[in-house]
Amino acid sequence: MVVNLREKVEQDLGVTLEGAFSLLVVLIDPDGVTQSSKKDDRDTDLTGQVLYDTVVEDPATGGRVVINEPIVTLRRSSLIRVPEAGETWSVKIPLDPSTPEVLTTFILDPTKSPEGGRSIGFIRLYLKKAAQE
Amino acid sequence: MNFETVKDSIVNNILAPAEAGRFRTVGFQRQSINADEVEDNLRLVQIYFSRGDFSKRAGRNTGPVQHDVTYRVELIVSKAAGGDLATLDNPSSTPSQLATALVGFSESSALADASLDELAGIIYQILMDGLNYDLGVTKYTVSNRWIDNIQKNEPTSRGSLLVLTGSMDLSCRMVEEITGDVGAEVPGVYDTELDIDGDDVEKTGVTIDNT
């Protein structure tokens, strides 16, 4: 059977997002349920694309600025529960790719909603630093 | 000129002594600021001379002129999301405890909004305090001190922190003396409009001494 191109792209996420370039990700959903493994393979750690820097245009000056913004991109089909806009989640990621087993807690909150990618099966999470109050 | 003296006085004699660990003050504009630099009580107050207006007065080459000054006071804060991080980091926490901790987390945008409002209130009260009527300089140097407005800008996500900025305009009136500039020597100036009977030389006038 010929695989639809969209399905093929979604399957390729297993390589592009969860392959050799990926890092460990641990999610805690609003109900307090922790997900640290893939939905369809509970023996495999949940991983995703973790980027620490991004380039944005500074609205004040119009110049391009490199900022430290952790962005995590995950394959939707690997998630038991997918974050929705308006929800608050805890997301743990390594801060340094040289120490991938050391995880730091960040917050996904309504300040900046997750971005779609529903068409080809991924979700992008913009993380906020978490401070103890 | 007095506008420089007054700006320095606002920074060094009024705002800096009042910081008390609640904010930081600089007397100029920074080109770009890292969100980490202004997190929590490192929030920044930038004050600088923004604009001056002089009433046009014909025929004055020297002496005092009225200067209506506006100082721009910029407020910059950044905040992380805040809550029970200890519970989230505790591997022994139950799902119920984790859910409670997540619900209790305050959005960074809400915390930044509150922080900026607080800072605006603090700076307003400091600058408008009756004790600071003279803005820290010699009495009667400054008059009509007033904060014209407070403005809050759109929040900007600077990575993992949320940055929020605001500003206020502090206006006042002062007198500036036109003394000229001590620079390269130039020939004296003669006002040749004077018409004096019997003055064939026609070099009678006012000399401006450029020393």
Side-chain angles (χ1 to χ4, degrees), chain A residues 63-90:
Chain A
R64 295 180 72 76
V65 180
V66 176
I67 59 171
N68 172 24
E69 178 169 40
I71 301 176
V72 174
T73 308
L74 300 169
R75 186 182 182 187
R76 286 173 173 266
S77 60
S78 293
L79 303 180
I80 299 167
R81 176 175 170 178
V82 180
E84 298 282 343
E87 293 181 332
T88 300
W89 288 58
S90 168

Side-chain angles (χ1 to χ4, degrees), chain B residues 94-110:
Chain B
T94 64
S96 172
Q97 290 172 326
L98 291 171
T100 301
L102 280 172
V103 165
F105 249 86
S106 302
E107 284 182 52
S108 52
S109 50

